[in-house]
Amino acid sequence: MRLAVVYHLPNPGGITRFTHALLDGLLAVDPDLTIDYYASDKLLLGGRLAQFAGAERVRTIGISDPEVVDSNIDEPVVSTGRQSVIKWTSRKLAGHHRIHAVLQRSYRALKGTVRRATGKSKRKHWYQFALTPEIAAALGEYDVVYFPFPYYMDPAPIAAPVVGTFHDFNHLYFPANFGGSLLRQMDRQLRFWTTRADAAVVSTKFVEGDLLKHYGGAAGRSSVVFVAPYSFVPIAESARLAAVERFGLRDQGYLIYPSNHSHHKNLLGLIEAADIIQRREGRL
């Protein structure tokens, strides 16, 4: 079987680890499987994508949307004086929801007017990623096309059967993390992909409930596939100590949180758990 896997975002986070474990498993159980992994060209830079166990049967192909002007990788951003004032004002007014919303709409409308008056085209952001027509056509030649994260990607015509894993719908519970424009974009994209997927895969009954409640186009095509613990290769003690030293950690106890500070990450629960460990063990 020829399988195409498409992951368009450049960040090497939880989705890449999930996808890597899944594909390693598929390669182990199906000796005839070959995989073309269409991954963000930025993800392929600098060894961000780990080697697969059956590497000889996996081909990586870099993809990008030439119209996207930014990415969702956390990189240092140098703001102009005007941008700094705008961000400072926005933070100060965030608690006054009605005033903040009115000013935000007015500012965006003014920006649009200026762009049109100066002939500048609207910038396309990372969450508006679109497959090029050439890539979309190429995907139609595979036995199956799998999207491990069919989010932040515009609709595309794909002739082959499509499988997508829908991890959660936390934007419905934490809209403040996203903002009105992004929420509308996500809803439009997810409505397409949940309907287009010939198989919509989720990892829990709860997520399936959200899927069918909010995106009814997936009715009759959803499946719950529980996520097994990922297997990790043990590392040598010397390598572990070198990592502790490299990150400036104390070997007698530390906590690593490799994610961002969005509300839905349950950081309060993590801090409380760390406090319990510290009081119980006396070290962290």
Side-chain angles (χ1 to χ4, degrees):
M1 183 176 77
R2 295 180 66 234
L3 171 66
V5 177
V6 183
Y7 181 56
H8 58 294
L9 296 180
N11 55 318
I15 301 300
T16 57
R17 293 191 293 272
F18 163 83
T19 305
H20 196 287
L22 175 63
L23 298 188
D24 267 348
L26 293 176
L27 290 165
V29 299
D30 186 351
D32 297 322
L33 176 67
T34 59
I35 299 173
D36 281 352
Y37 195 166
Y38 291 81
S40 165
D41 53 4
K42 291 183 179 179
L43 184 61
L44 299 179
L45 295 175
R48 285 189 175 126
L49 196 63
Q51 188 85 328
F52 290 95
E56 70 281 357
R57 291 187 283 144
V58 180
R59 179 175 63 157
T60 55
I61 302 169
I63 60 173
S64 64
D65 182 341
E67 296 181 13
V68 170
V69 297
D70 57 7
S71 80
N72 67 332
I73 294 180
D74 293 330
E75 296 174 336
V77 177
V78 179
S79 297
T80 65
R82 177 177 62 82
Q83 290 171 330
S84 297
V85 170
I86 291 170
K87 290 179 180 179
W88 180 86
T89 305
S90 180
R91 287 196 300 269
K92 290 296 182 183
L93 293 174
H96 305 280
H97 302 296
R98 291 184 179 179
I99 297 174
H100 186 266
V102 169
L103 291 176
Q104 191 177 56
R105 286 197 297 270
S106 300
Y107 174 68
R108 287 174 177 169
L110 179 62
K111 281 206 305 184
T113 301
V114 171
R115 282 199 191 99
R116 288 190 292 273
T118 57
K120 293 181 178 179
S121 60
K122 186 177 180 180
R123 298 197 311 164
K124 190 175 177 184
H125 298 292
W126 61 267
Y127 52 82
Q128 298 167 310
F129 181 96
L131 296 169
T132 63
E134 294 78 14
I135 294 296
L139 294 176
E141 301 299 318
Y142 290 87
D143 296 312
V144 177
V145 177
Y146 174 60
F147 291 94
F149 193 70
Y151 297 71
Y152 308 123
M153 181 170 56
D154 277 351
I158 298 174
V162 169
V163 177
T165 293
F166 297 91
H167 297 268
D168 60 51
F169 302 96
N170 71 73
H171 64 287
L172 301 173
Y173 295 92
F174 300 93
N177 285 351
F178 302 88
S181 176
L182 179 52
L183 282 173
R184 289 189 292 274
Q185 182 87 14
M186 290 181 69
D187 186 68
R188 180 178 68 84
Q189 294 166 335
L190 282 169
R191 204 161 295 284
F192 173 84
W193 289 111
T194 54
T195 301
R196 171 61 187 87
D198 297 280
V201 181
V202 296
S203 60
T204 68
K205 289 287 186 181
F206 174 82
V207 176
E208 184 181 45
D210 273 354
L211 168 68
L212 299 179
K213 177 181 178 181
H214 299 285
Y215 299 101
R221 290 174 288 104
S222 64
S223 299
V224 178
V225 179
F226 298 110
V227 178
Y230 298 173
S231 61
F232 296 96
V233 178
I235 63 172
E237 181 66 6
S238 58
R240 186 188 70 81
L241 291 174
V244 168
E245 182 178 357
R246 184 167 71 252
F247 291 108
L249 303 171
R250 296 183 305 162
D251 190 39
Q252 59 265 45
Y254 51 85
L255 176 70
I256 295 179
Y257 172 67
S259 190
N260 58 42
H261 56 271
S262 296
H263 296 170
H264 69 280
K265 297 296 185 178
N266 192 23
L267 285 177
L268 179 59
L270 181 64
I271 293 170
E272 289 175 343
D275 180 63
I276 291 171
I277 293 173
Q278 188 175 43
R279 286 187 283 109
R280 180 184 299 168
E281 304 293 335
R283 62 187 181 91
L284 189 62

